[in-house]
Amino acid sequence: KTPLTAIQGFAETLLGGALDDATNRRRFVEIIRDHSARLDRLTDDLLKLSLIEAGKLELEFHPVNVAALVESCVDTARFRSAQKQLRLTVECPDNLPPVRGDVRRLAEVLQNILDNAVQYTPAGGKIAIYAGVENNQVKIGVVDTGIGIPRDDLERIFERFYRVDAARSREAGGTGLGLSIAKHLVEAHGGRIEVESEVGQGSTFSIFLPAI
Ligand code: ADP
């Protein structure tokens, strides 16, 4: 079922009588809201991906302060990780060199990776974000103690629409496009993105960006 089919279906159900069903009507409206939110993300992501692939997504390069970038993304993830009782730690030295980047796009990349870490880590787990310099590149790592990714799926998760567990991703409002967009964006910065993972142990995503 696509989000649109669900939206149509539940709207019809409401109009067909469920509006008077005091027990269920609120839940039906919530389902419609959730599916529209997912549809909104999906169209956004698809548009972005097609712009990137057509070479039409323009990046505005400026020096980017990595500590501030990390802090702003962590701020956004804090609420959701607190709800899941996840411990979130940040280790970011003050003397990091800036990177040359489009701060909005880099924030999208990091946010996506952080949101995934929160999403795919069961309650009580840990997420650690750290930054450092390696071979003239700034490395930003996001380590989680989540469900992990099977070896055979590891190289495919950066493909568009690829999801290890489609039902789980869909339920969480995922589109399967986040990591393919992230990879495109990081490469457009002259950087790269890597993943290591062990099923049941957790995953580490690392972004490398050229330091200025
Ligand atoms: P989605 O919207 O499904 O999260 P992404 O492109 O962001 O799409 O991720 C693709 C798939 O990679 C996810 O569906 C999930 O199976 C897997 N994945 C991404 N991040 C993690 C993580 N931190 N832990 C476990 N699996 C992950």
Side-chain angles (χ1 to χ4, degrees):
K1 261 203 297 186
T2 68
L4 257 185
T5 328
I7 292 168
Q8 261 169 359
F10 282 99
E12 296 296 353
T13 307
L14 282 164
L15 291 171
L19 275 175
D20 302 318
D21 174 355
T23 344
N24 287 312
R25 60 188 175 199
R26 187 181 171 86
R27 193 166 56 84
F28 292 163
V29 175
E30 282 166 356
I31 294 174
I32 290 178
R33 180 205 49 203
D34 293 347
H35 282 281
S36 3
R38 188 163 158 261
L39 191 61
D40 189 43
R41 272 196 299 276
L42 196 61
T43 41
D44 254 21
D45 281 356
L46 278 173
L47 184 63
K48 208 180 295 165
L49 202 58
S50 62
L51 284 176
I52 291 172
E53 290 184 343
K56 292 212 169 106
L57 190 90
E58 306 212 341
L59 298 178
E60 288 180 37
F61 289 112
H62 295 287
V64 174
N65 177 327
V66 176
L69 174 75
V70 168
E71 209 41 59
S72 72
C73 294
V74 169
D75 263 352
T76 315
R78 240 182 212 118
F79 179 70
R80 226 160 49 96
S81 45
Q83 280 181 321
K84 277 185 88 174
Q85 272 124 25
L86 300 174
R87 234 182 77 207
L88 201 66
T89 57
V90 183
E91 222 175 291
C92 199
D94 320 316
N95 58 349
L96 272 183
V99 297
R100 183 174 167 275
D102 182 320
V103 68
R104 209 178 101 209
R105 298 306 177 187
L106 289 180
E108 280 173 14
V109 170
L110 188 56
Q111 197 71 60
N112 187 265
I113 290 171
L114 256 179
D115 287 348
N116 280 347
V118 174
Q119 181 57 45
Y120 298 107
T121 302
K126 278 188 268 179
I127 298 172
I129 303 110
Y130 64 89
V133 183
E134 238 179 72
N135 305 326
N136 248 347
Q137 296 199 303
V138 173
K139 173 181 180 181
I140 308 171
V142 178
V143 188
D144 68 55
T145 60
I147 60 172
I149 301 160
R151 194 170 297 272
D152 289 344
D153 296 301
L154 264 185
E155 61 196 52
R156 302 203 57 193
I157 56 168
F158 295 102
E159 291 172 17
R160 49 163 78 180
F161 294 118
Y162 194 81
R163 301 177 289 195
V164 177
D165 180 343
R168 182 181 189 135
S169 158
R170 205 179 312 118
E171 210 165 282
T175 63
L177 292 172
L179 285 179
S180 62
I181 293 173
K183 183 170 196 274
H184 276 293
L185 288 175
V186 169
E187 288 174 356
H189 281 78
R192 66 179 205 280
I193 183 166
E194 286 178 1
V195 59
E196 287 166 84
S197 187
E198 196 79 54
V199 170
Q201 303 291 310
S203 311
T204 299
F205 284 83
S206 310
I207 307 169
F208 297 85
L209 295 163
I212 297 181

